[in-house]
Amino acid sequence: VSLVRREFIDAARLAGYSNARIIASELFPNVLPVIVIATSTTIGWMILETAGLSFLGLGAQPPQADLGSMLGEGRRQLFTAPHVSIIPGLMIFALVMSINLMGDGVRDVLDPRLKSGALGRPSARTEVAGNRAKETATAGETAEAATEAETVLDVRGLATEFRVGAEVYRAVGGVDFALRAEECLGLVGESGSGKSVTAMSLLGLVPTPPGRIVGGRVAYRDQDLLDVSYARLRQLRGGTFACVFQDPLSTLHPLFTVGDQIVEVIRAHQPLGHAKAHAMAVELLKLVHMPNAERRMDAYPHELSGGMRQRVCIAMALANDPEILIADEPTTALDVTVQAQMLKLLNRLRADRKATVLFITHDFGVVSEICDRVAVMYAGRIVEIGPAEAVLAEPAHPYTRKLIDCVPVLGESRRRLDAIPGLPPPVNRLPAGCAFAERCPRARAECRADDVALAPLGDGRSVRCLFPLVSGGAELG
Ligand code: ADP
Ligand code: MG
């Protein structure tokens, strides 16, 4: 009866299930564990009660053997032959305990919550693809050995999977990159290429289950962020690391004023009183050019425009002077004029505050505007990484070339915009060799045979292609 009032039953009703189906698929699996436990406890009690009755001489009569009556008879010889009473006593104990434990075991097997892993330990990483990740890790290390600036965040062989039913979606399949101090690294790729999951994996924000980080290392100073304690992770999130996500309306809490939300971010990381934090929040809103900053502190997210909401998110991200800013398509939900303002703002703040930025986008125009280096992702892996200017001028991977050809250029109105034929491969059925081979005009048989490694190309560039368009600066044709 109590289960019937739970949300999942309401959800099933809303989904239009019939009563019989709700009972069979929602209710019964959830009451089954209770029934099993009740049964095993009752059987245990029954054994104890029969033994008790027989002990008093009210149960089974000799010559019928019974543990309780044996115990009763043995009582008279307790000092001359103690085993006569001790052994039946131990037997009763063992019998009742084993029936209870067996009930527990059967319950654990049947409990839908245990089966789904929802009650399991929410560990940041499980060593499943450890070996695979190690292989990619070494490949990545050689590829990016020459780093001039100090590396603040070193990501090696990062792999994240989603298990939905029997399917395994390799959303991120071994990503390597290093964020250097004060640079802006652009992460580009088509929708679904794993950019957001990469960003969320860095700070352990992937929903678990169904998501799991199955391998890799995210080194910040001498810590592996995938291994640090939850308390430390909370310190880093919003403090050292800040995130701006794509859709500000779903990032902000609808029931709190934006002022309260900024104040909360500040007070979570700095020992400030409410008044001081409030003043600081107003300053932050002014910094991001929020018109009428003081009055807007009391506004709810729905009372603001899209551009204003994103400004609030950027203000929140800047609240604790982050060292690393992760911006996941922060301007995609905005119109072009506001997008241009936001980019200018981000770029200026980056210069002023000396922050390192990981900028996720699918727009090469944005990359050329603010990124120092760019990494191109395809089907969960980085296929090309290098200085933004060089990659934009002379892309080495056929996929990068195609992506750049899709961008319209002002003044080239007669150029035909090339669309890339086909679709990216589904990440639960990745092909054996290069994931792009199916859509690639240069693909040969070798491309489909074996995994292609990210190989250095000189000038700090690396490409995951057997037949790159550029090799060490010389055009191959
Ligand atoms: P994008 O590059 O557009 O940001 P994402 O990183 O969001 O792409 O997604 C990469 C892949 O991971 C997609 O195939 C997506 O379907 C899958 N994915 C992301 N989140 C989940 C989730 N919570 N459950 C199942 N699959 C997911
Ligand atoms: Mg995304």
Side-chain angles (χ1 to χ4, degrees), residues 162-164 169-172 189-198 200 207 210-211 246 328-329 360 377 427:
F162 291 94
R163 276 166 195 264
V164 183
Y169 294 83
R170 295 235 162 87
V172 177
E190 269 169 285
S191 179
S193 54
K195 307 179 296 289
S196 299
V197 176
T198 304
M200 292 198 292
Q246 178 169 357
D328 187 356
E329 310 210 31
I360 298 173
M377 269 191 96
V427 284

Side-chain angles (χ1 to χ4, degrees), residues 406-460:
C406 296
V407 181
V409 181
L410 215 60
E412 282 187 24
S413 56
R414 281 165 188 277
R415 185 167 66 98
R416 210 183 116 80
L417 283 186
D418 236 355
I420 311 179
L423 291 170
V427 284
N428 54 340
R429 276 185 204 85
L430 287 177
C434 171
F436 187 60
E438 279 311 309
R439 305 165 80 187
C440 182
R442 300 165 67 88
R444 301 183 207 169
E446 297 98 296
C447 299
R448 296 189 175 86
D450 240 338
D451 203 29
V452 184
L454 193 65
L457 206 62
D459 307 333

Side-chain angles (χ1 to χ4, degrees), residues 335-411:
D335 57 76
V336 270
T337 38
V338 183
Q339 170 169 338
Q341 287 173 12
M342 287 292 131
L343 289 180
K344 236 164 96 187
L345 177 70
L346 269 176
N347 219 6
R348 218 198 58 231
L349 293 171
R350 178 167 79 90
D352 289 354
R353 303 197 163 210
K354 304 211 181 310
T356 305
V357 180
L358 176 63
F359 198 96
I360 298 173
T361 175
H362 56 248
D363 187 344
F364 267 106
V366 174
V367 171
S368 65
E369 208 155 312
I370 70 166
C371 295
D372 304 311
R373 286 195 309 142
V374 58
V376 182
M377 269 191 96
Y378 188 75
R381 304 176 91 177
I382 288 182
V383 293
E384 175 162 11
I385 183 166
E389 266 174 44
V391 173
L392 286 174
E394 263 194 321
H397 199 287
Y399 177 60
T400 319
R401 161 96 271 159
K402 288 275 184 192
L403 275 184
I404 293 174
D405 286 347
C406 296
V407 181
V409 181
L410 215 60

